[in-house]
């Protein structure tokens, strides 16, 4: 195969893998974060960094570079890693409107679905990640990292009264 054919195959791999994956791992200047996205017009688009939306990793700013890792939707393993040029879209620009139309269809459980795009324009950031260098070779070592700090908690012990309450309901039936 020629080098040009290899580049086209790598681009096709990035597009198909990113389209099919529900999450992509994005790294700016700090640890990577799993982010939901849409693939639109040759790039991954994200919305976040606002109230009620996903937080972006540090360093995801206009003109910056990011590293995107795409996992397999079936097995969850790493398929491809690509460098991205980050562009923050200007609210209500033609490119922003097109990206938001796609993002809106993928946003699940929005508390304000009918006014969501207005909120995104006021309080959030819409980002375009355009693929650059593509790396399909997998590393020899594990890239496992400790979980990021979060306000989420683990389950607490079951309250003592809960089993009795559940048993009462079964007896009545």
């Amino acid at each position: 195969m020629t080098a040009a054919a290899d580049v086209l195959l790598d681009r096709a791999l990035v597009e198909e893998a990113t389209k099919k994956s529900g999450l992509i791992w994005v790294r700016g200047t700090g640890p990577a974060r799993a982010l939901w996205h849409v693939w639109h017009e040759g790039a991954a688009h994200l919305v976040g960094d606002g109230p009620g939306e996903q937080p972006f990793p540090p360093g995801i700013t206009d003109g910056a570079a990011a590293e995107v890792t795409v996992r397999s939707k079936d097995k969850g393993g790493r398929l491809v890693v690509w460098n991205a040029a980050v562009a923050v879209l200007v609210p209500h620009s033609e490119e922003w409107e097109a990206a938001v139309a796609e993002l809106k269809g993928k946003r699940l459980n929005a508390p304000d679905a009918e006014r969501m795009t207005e909120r995104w324009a006021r309080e959030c950031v819409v980002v375009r990640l355009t693929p650059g260098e593509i790396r399909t070779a997998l590393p020899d070592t594990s890239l496992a990292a400790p979980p990021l700090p979060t306000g989420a908690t683990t389950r607490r012990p079951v309250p003592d009264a809960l089993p009795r309450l559940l048993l009462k309901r079964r007896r009545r039936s």
Side-chain angles (χ1 to χ4, degrees), residues 48-62:
D49 270 0
E53 299 300 336
Q54 59 191 351
F56 289 160
I60 302 300
T61 57
D62 199 35

Side-chain angles (χ1 to χ4, degrees), residues 59-66 84-88 127-128:
I60 302 300
T61 57
D62 199 35
V86 179
V88 174
V127 172
R128 176 183 172 95

Side-chain angles (χ1 to χ4, degrees), residues 8-10 15 17 28 34 46 75 80 88-89 94 102 106 114 119-120 127 132 134 136 155 157 159-160 167 173:
L8 289 175
L9 286 174
D10 286 348
E15 182 172 345
L46 315 165
K75 305 283 186 198
V80 65
V88 174
L89 304 182
E94 190 174 315
E102 296 293 321
K106 294 282 189 168
E114 59 280 343
R119 179 174 53 83
W120 286 352
V127 172
I134 300 164
T136 54
R155 279 185 50 187
D160 292 335
L167 288 174
S173 300

Side-chain angles (χ1 to χ4, degrees), residues 7-61:
V7 169
L8 289 175
L9 286 174
D10 286 348
R11 293 265 178 214
L13 173 63
V14 165
E15 182 172 345
E16 282 304 307
T18 308
K19 275 182 186 178
K20 290 184 178 184
S21 181
L23 295 172
I24 56 177
W25 290 87
V26 180
R27 179 187 319 276
T29 57
R33 283 194 178 270
L35 303 172
W36 69 272
H37 67 287
V38 295
W39 184 267
H40 177 66
E41 294 181 0
H45 290 80
L46 315 165
V47 63
D49 270 0
E53 299 300 336
Q54 59 191 351
F56 289 160
I60 302 300
T61 57

